[in-house]
């Protein structure tokens, strides 16, 4: 379309043409009228960053199974090396979307995780399925759970080092919450470092850490390699907790709302497919174990996604709260209270000096409007309430109603 035509096509002329019908108007004007009412994706090909973790599966399978094409988009999964790299590429536009840590998006939005930029959460990708691994050396001394770790740290005084994957991310918050629930202040009683997920096992092998919190399959991998034990799963810290999200910038969501809806719908449907059967889960495990994705053995992935857990010390159990990608849509809804919880913990651990307007920030970031459109397109149920209530490992209840009071209620804090 020429610049002259663009400038002459005011909103009024487009609406007038739409009102009187498009017969007899110029082809260019007719195309403009159609575009005004079109819900086709504005951007047909999108790059979605991911980190090699089991919970990137719905993004990968949406592409591999061709579900993306059904919604008029082509997803190009882009394997990234670290969460900091994902953040930088999202912010500078190299990536359109990312499989990303919930708390990373909130940290970037508020400027507590590096560059400050308005961000958007379009959906939650998964619940559950992370864990805290302690080294075999600690386990041999009786530190096989929180109580055992606290006892060992009290009796054998030295610097204990624990790793998480990103300072404002989910794994940092699960690690800190669990340590504090067992009387250990992560800010004062331990040294905490940041390590990319795929490098956790190698770092523990050479003895550079006592424990780590990370997503699967790296906890299971540590057990298979004989270097670590599972001290706690994150679903034991918070059953059905929010984990990774589909994140993008607020600018992208504003510029390409139809693309955001289409991509969200495609990934929703892929999550539904994964959760539908054990056969689908196994097919997913075989796919994402490949070099292009997680790059590990299939058996490091396929046991825990079926709820078959072992702790590396002979204990095995069937876990009903394994990693879920759909659960009739309950997984994917971007509850405002979920986002707000991460903010309460950021405040607790000194990542923010002042209390933010918790609800206002969550409303800015969590794009429930786009999610509802995508859920409608994918024929997925939507919860009635934008908040949910959860009881965590230390007995505290989180419902999002008084975030300031909740954030200030913890005895152990920064």
């Amino acid at each position: 379309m020429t610049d002259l035509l663009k400038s002459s096509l005011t909103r009024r002329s487009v609406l007038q043409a739409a009102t009187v019908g498009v017969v007899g108007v110029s082809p260019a004007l007719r195309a403009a009228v159609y575009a005004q009412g079109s819900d086709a994706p504005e951007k047909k090909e999108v790059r979605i960053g991911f980190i090699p973790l089991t919970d990137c599966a719905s993004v990968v399978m949406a592409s591999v199974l061709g579900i993306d094409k059904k919604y008029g988009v082509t997803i190009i999964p882009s394997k990234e090396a670290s969460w900091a790299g994902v953040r930088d590429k999202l912010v500078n536009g190299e990536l359109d979307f990312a499989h990303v840590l919930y708390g990373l998006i909130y940290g970037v939005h508020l400027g507590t995780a590096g560059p400050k930029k308005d961000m958007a959460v379009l959906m939650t990708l998964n619940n559950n399925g992370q864990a805290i691994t302690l080294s075999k050396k600690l386990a041999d001394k009786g530190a096989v759970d929180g109580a055992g770790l606290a006892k060992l740290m009290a009796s054998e005084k030295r610097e204990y080092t624990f790793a998480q994957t990103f300072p404002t991310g989910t794994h940092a918050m699960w690690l800190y919450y669990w340590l504090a629930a067992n009387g250990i202040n992560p800010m004062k009683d331990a040294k905490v470092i940041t390590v990319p997920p795929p490098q956790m096992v190698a770092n523990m092998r050479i003895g550079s850490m006592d424990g780590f919190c990370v997503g699967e399959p790296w906890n299971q991998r540590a057990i298979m390699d004989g270097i670590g034990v599972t001290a706690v799963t994150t679903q034991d810290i918070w059953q059905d907790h929010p984990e990774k999200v589909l994140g993008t910038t607020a600018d992208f969501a504003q510029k390409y709302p139809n693309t955001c809806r289409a991509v969200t719908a495609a990934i929703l449907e892929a999550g539904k497919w994964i959760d539908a059967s054990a056969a689908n889960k196994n097919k997913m495990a075989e796919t994402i174990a490949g070099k292009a994705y997680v790059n590990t053995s299939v058996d490091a992935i396929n046991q825990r996604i079926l709820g078959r857990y072992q702790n590396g010390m002979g204990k095995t159990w069937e876990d009903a709260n394994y990693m879920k990608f759909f659960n009739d849509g309950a997984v994917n809804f971007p509850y405002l209270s979920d986002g707000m919880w991460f903010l309460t913990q950021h405040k607790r651990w000194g990542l923010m000096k002042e209390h933010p307007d918790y609800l206002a920030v969550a409303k800015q970031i969590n794009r429930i409007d786009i999610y509802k459109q995508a859920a409608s397109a994918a024929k997925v149920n939507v919860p009635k309430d934008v908040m949910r209530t959860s009881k965590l490992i230390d007995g505290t209840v989180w419902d999002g109603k008084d975030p300031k009071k909740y954030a200030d209620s913890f005895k152990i804090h920064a």
Side-chain angles (χ1 to χ4, degrees):
M1 205 182 291
T2 66
D3 288 341
L4 178 65
L5 186 53
K6 272 184 194 169
S7 61
S8 65
L9 269 181
T10 62
R11 178 173 167 77
R12 182 182 295 171
S13 65
V14 167
L15 290 173
Q16 283 172 344
T19 305
V20 300
V22 294
V23 181
V25 299
S26 74
L29 182 54
R30 193 178 309 141
V33 172
Y34 176 73
Q36 292 284 319
S38 170
D39 61 358
E42 306 89 351
K43 190 169 186 180
K44 307 293 184 194
E45 192 173 279
V46 294
R47 288 180 69 81
I48 306 185
F50 72 92
I51 291 286
L53 290 160
T54 303
D55 51 30
C56 75
S58 55
V59 169
V60 171
M61 297 313 292
S63 170
V64 170
L65 297 171
I67 297 170
D68 51 353
K69 307 293 191 295
K70 175 178 166 183
Y71 293 95
V73 288
T74 298
I75 290 172
I76 301 167
S78 177
K79 187 174 179 176
E80 305 299 332
S82 70
W83 290 121
V86 169
R87 173 201 61 197
D88 293 345
K89 289 184 179 182
L90 262 182
V91 167
N92 70 24
E94 284 180 66
L95 293 171
D96 299 314
F97 305 88
H99 148 258
V100 66
L101 300 162
Y102 216 131
L104 184 152
I105 294 293
Y106 272 67
V108 172
H109 189 89
L110 291 173
T112 56
K116 186 177 189 301
K117 190 171 181 72
D118 287 353
M119 301 298 285
V121 164
L122 302 180
M123 66 182 287
T124 305
L125 295 175
N126 67 295
N127 288 168
N128 308 328
Q130 326 294 295
I132 294 173
T133 292
L134 295 178
S135 73
K136 199 78 167 60
K137 289 174 187 171
L138 287 196
D140 290 344
K141 292 181 178 183
V144 298
D145 55 19
L149 176 64
K151 189 177 175 184
L152 180 67
M153 288 176 70
S155 62
E156 274 193 31
K157 298 285 189 186
R158 64 171 175 85
E159 185 175 72
Y160 287 80
T161 302
F162 299 96
Q164 40 76 18
T165 64
F166 190 81
T168 63
T170 52
H171 303 110
M173 299 308 119
W174 310 139
L175 177 66
Y176 299 167
Y177 203 98
W178 178 73
L179 288 171
N182 287 283
I184 302 163
N185 189 323
M187 303 295 141
K188 295 169 185 168
D189 304 333
K191 179 184 176 186
V192 180
I193 59 174
T194 302
V195 175
Q199 295 174 27
M200 287 292 189
V201 176
N203 273 277
M204 184 170 273
R205 186 180 288 112
I206 61 171
S208 53
M209 64 178 77
D210 295 291
F212 60 70
C213 184
V214 75
E216 296 301 343
W218 306 116
N219 301 287
Q220 176 71 4
R221 185 81 255 170
I223 290 172
M224 291 168 70
D225 292 358
I227 62 164
V229 303
T230 293
V232 69
T233 65
T234 51
Q235 53 265 33
D236 283 336
I237 296 171
W238 175 355
Q239 185 180 314
D240 292 336
H241 67 78
E243 185 49 46
K244 306 303 185 300
V245 295
L246 179 64
T248 187
T249 63
D251 288 344
F252 190 93
Q254 186 177 359
K255 192 174 179 185
Y256 305 111
N258 296 346
T259 306
C260 288
R261 187 195 63 244
V263 169
T264 303
I267 295 171
L268 258 176
E269 193 169 318
K272 183 178 184 179
W273 178 87
I274 293 167
D275 275 10
S277 69
N280 288 2
K281 288 188 177 80
N282 280 315
K283 168 75 174 157
M284 174 271 276
E286 288 166 17
T287 302
I288 69 166
K291 253 185 190 163
Y293 305 115
V294 181
N295 191 24
T296 192
S297 58
V298 177
D299 57 350
I301 297 172
N302 68 4
Q303 293 305 296
R304 288 194 169 187
I305 59 159
L306 294 168
R308 296 173 191 154
Y309 276 73
Q310 55 161 314
N311 68 353
M313 296 168 287
K315 180 187 173 188
T316 62
W317 71 97
E318 292 290 320
D319 195 325
N321 302 308
Y322 52 81
M323 187 182 292
K324 290 169 185 165
F325 292 89
F326 182 64
N327 194 17
D328 196 27
V331 167
N332 312 107
F333 187 75
Y335 291 97
L336 298 182
S337 54
D338 285 0
M340 290 161 67
W341 184 86
F342 289 103
L343 292 180
T344 68
Q345 300 306 297
H346 293 171
K347 177 66 176 70
R348 176 186 183 183
W349 300 118
L351 293 162
M352 293 185 294
K353 288 189 170 59
E354 305 296 329
H355 288 283
D357 186 334
Y358 292 94
L359 184 58
V361 172
K363 282 179 175 176
Q364 283 171 359
I365 299 174
N366 289 25
R367 292 298 302 271
I368 289 171
D369 55 333
I370 292 174
Y371 179 82
K372 283 182 174 177
Q373 293 166 11
S376 175
K379 298 179 176 61
V380 170
N381 292 326
V382 174
K384 288 187 175 73
D385 202 340
V386 296
M387 303 283 193
R388 62 176 178 142
T389 301
S390 309
K391 190 174 184 178
L392 277 71
I393 194 170
D394 57 357
T396 62
V397 173
W398 167 245
D399 58 15
K401 285 175 183 165
D402 194 344
K404 186 175 182 296
K405 183 182 176 185
Y406 178 84
D408 288 339
S409 69
F410 296 96
K411 286 177 187 169
I412 296 179
H413 53 82

